[in-house]
Amino acid sequence: MTSALLSASRLLVALSARALEAGDSGVTLPQFRMLTSLSAKGPMKLASLADLLGVNSSTALRMAERLSLAGLLTRETNPNNRREIILELAPAGRRIVADVTARRREEIARVVARLAPGQRTALVEALDAFVKADDELPATVTQPIFFT
């Protein structure tokens, strides 16, 4: 079971990387994770985003600086605490997330189309049960999920 899920995870990461590369955005996969996290969660403190991504604050700050210089996110000082930085997606960042997500959907749909209808149903049921077994992601597979 674990080996099958790891193989599926590798395929999903490869499809995500392919979708990201196809757009010529110049955004790396870790930077895209930052953009998708902000897309899903909304504006966040830098420290909270670093925790969410599992990186230290200095790594998150460097990534945020690069994305800010590229016009993909905004960085503001928290008016309530001048030591905190609030990050938010800029319109260009939202477009990249939407474009890459659309390409990723196309890549996944291409693979799913090769399955028999019964296999598709079984896959949705299995993935739904897998997601429900953990509290981190939304409870149904039919919702948009960012595989990061």
Side-chain angles (χ1 to χ4, degrees):
M1 175 67 67
T2 301
S3 293
L5 286 169
L6 283 172
S7 293
S9 175
R10 281 192 295 274
L11 173 61
L12 289 168
V13 169
L15 295 176
S16 294
R18 192 179 313 152
L20 185 59
E21 290 168 3
D24 294 326
S25 66
V27 174
T28 66
L29 200 51
Q31 290 170 335
F32 186 69
R33 278 189 71 213
M34 181 175 274
L35 296 176
T36 58
S37 295
L38 289 169
S39 176
K41 302 277 186 182
M44 296 181 72
K45 293 187 289 188
L46 176 69
S48 299
L49 184 56
D51 287 343
L52 180 67
L53 296 174
V55 299
N56 62 45
S57 290
S58 63
T59 298
L61 179 60
R62 284 191 302 276
M63 286 173 42
E65 286 174 350
R66 288 184 189 112
L67 293 170
S68 178
L69 286 172
L72 303 178
L73 62 79
T74 61
R75 296 174 40 197
E76 300 290 332
T77 302
N78 185 346
N80 299 323
N81 182 345
R82 308 240 352 119
R83 292 179 291 155
E84 292 178 343
I85 296 171
I86 304 293
L87 302 173
E88 184 173 3
L89 271 184
R94 290 196 187 287
R95 280 191 299 278
I96 286 177
V97 170
D99 292 347
V100 172
T101 301
R103 281 192 299 278
R104 188 183 321 166
R105 283 181 186 278
E106 291 169 5
E107 291 280 346
I108 292 170
R110 181 184 52 78
V111 174
V112 170
R114 295 179 183 162
L115 299 175
Q119 290 174 312
R120 290 180 203 154
T121 300
L123 179 61
V124 169
E125 290 171 359
L127 290 174
D128 192 37
F130 182 71
V131 169
K132 285 179 182 175
D134 187 57
D135 296 332
E136 198 168 313
L137 292 175
T140 62
V141 177
T142 55
Q143 294 178 359
I145 294 177
F146 295 111
F147 291 97
T148 56

